């Protein structure tokens, strides 16, 4: 697979943020978008995205081959929850690899959970999603959503070769539609796509990120 830029790479943190003030929008009110409840939280935060990202998801939906639909899983994630996920996964890695340095732990953890201060989910700039058929049945993507590199033998990496041909075709269809709508993928997670965040800016050559960390209750 091509070399992967991890979220922990200093080049990501070096990207400036010029917050555009765009609001967070509830995707459950969007037409034609299937919303899955497996990542739901009591406040319903999971179902929010920046308006510009939601618009691009709907564009991507229209670009899919007939019979395929996007299945939204998770969008916005409060910073406190992001910090909890990162700390928990880093602790698992440290227990498994006691000889690793802090830098090695941070880099390895960022394959699966973004460092909190850089997390696009906490800016409403990232979405976890998969594909469904016309009847709303989830399709095989080679691994479950949210599979770790360890438990999947890195089959969770978008370009992994150790997945069935059908799953590869589904990943390719998902990627083609989302890329055409202006989103970028995090290559260690086939389900994670973003727009307007620092990682997106680095990979598209944009001078700055459009979206920074945001509280759900903030106005436009």
């Amino acid at each position: 697979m091509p070399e992967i830029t991890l979220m922990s790479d200093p080049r990501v943190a070096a990207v400036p943020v010029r917050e555009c003030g765009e609001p967070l929008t509830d995707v459950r009110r969007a037409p034609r978008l299937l919303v899955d409840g497996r990542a739901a939280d009591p406040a319903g935060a999971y179902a929010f995205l920046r308006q510009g990202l939601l618009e691009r998801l709907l564009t991507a939906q229209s670009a899919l081959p007939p019979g395929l639909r996007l299945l939204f899983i998770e969008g916005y994630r409060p910073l406190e929850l992001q910090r909890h996920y990162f700390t928990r996964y880093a602790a698992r890695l440290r227990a498994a690899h006691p000889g690793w340095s802090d830098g090695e732990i941070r880099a390895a953890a960022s394959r699966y959970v973004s460092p909190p201060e850089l997390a696009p989910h906490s800016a409403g700039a990232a979405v976890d999603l998969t594909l469904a058929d016309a009847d709303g049945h989830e399709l095989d993507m080679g691994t479950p959503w949210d599979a770790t590199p360890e438990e999947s033998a890195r089959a969770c990496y978008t370009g992994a070769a150790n997945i069935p041909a059908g799953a590869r075709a589904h990943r390719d269809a998902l990627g083609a539609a989302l890329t055409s709508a202006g989103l970028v993928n995090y290559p260690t997670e086939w389900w994670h796509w973003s727009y307007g965040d620092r990682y997106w800016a680095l990979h598209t050559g944009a001078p700055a990120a459009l979206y920074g960390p945001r509280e759900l209750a903030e106005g436009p």
Side-chain angles (χ1 to χ4, degrees), residues 134-188:
D135 296 320
H137 300 127
E138 189 171 344
L139 299 180
D140 177 23
M141 304 296 283
T143 74
W145 163 74
D146 226 19
T148 68
E150 292 79 20
E151 67 194 15
S152 69
R154 297 196 179 188
C156 61
Y157 284 32
T158 307
N162 56 333
I163 61 173
R168 166 55 52 204
H170 294 153
R171 288 192 190 185
D172 290 347
L174 179 67
L178 293 169
T179 300
S180 72
L183 280 70
V184 299
N185 173 241
Y186 193 49
T188 61

Side-chain angles (χ1 to χ4, degrees), residues 18-210:
R18 296 176 188 161
E19 173 60 55
C20 69
E22 196 174 277
L24 289 162
T25 302
D26 191 337
V27 305
R28 291 170 294 188
R29 299 175 183 170
R32 300 180 292 110
L33 189 63
L34 290 174
V35 179
D36 182 275
R38 78 190 77 176
D41 59 284
Y46 82 103
F48 282 78
L49 290 177
R50 295 292 187 126
Q51 181 65 34
L53 175 51
L54 175 56
E55 290 170 359
R56 282 162 177 79
L57 285 187
L58 297 178
T59 297
Q61 172 72 64
S62 299
L64 284 170
L68 296 182
R69 299 181 69 183
L70 296 178
L71 179 59
F72 174 98
I73 298 174
E74 184 179 18
Y76 177 75
R77 188 180 296 157
L79 187 58
E80 182 179 350
L81 182 58
Q82 182 71 28
R83 187 176 293 112
H84 168 70
Y85 285 163
F86 186 82
T87 301
R88 181 180 63 182
Y89 185 53
R92 286 170 54 187
L93 291 172
R94 188 172 296 283
H97 306 280
W100 283 8
S101 68
D102 289 346
E104 289 171 320
I105 293 293
R106 178 179 167 85
S110 74
R111 297 171 305 161
Y112 181 64
V113 186
S114 296
E117 69 277 11
L118 302 172
H121 276 291
S122 298
V127 58
D128 292 349
L129 76 175
T130 186
L131 284 180
D133 63 19
D135 296 320
H137 300 127
E138 189 171 344
L139 299 180
D140 177 23
M141 304 296 283
T143 74
W145 163 74
D146 226 19
T148 68
E150 292 79 20
E151 67 194 15
S152 69
R154 297 196 179 188
C156 61
Y157 284 32
T158 307
N162 56 333
I163 61 173
R168 166 55 52 204
H170 294 153
R171 288 192 190 185
D172 290 347
L174 179 67
L178 293 169
T179 300
S180 72
L183 280 70
V184 299
N185 173 241
Y186 193 49
T188 61
E189 300 176 333
W190 59 261
W191 56 84
H192 178 104
W193 292 78
S194 67
Y195 169 80
D197 62 303
R198 283 170 157 152
Y199 198 83
W200 165 87
L202 179 65
H203 282 271
T204 62
L210 305 175

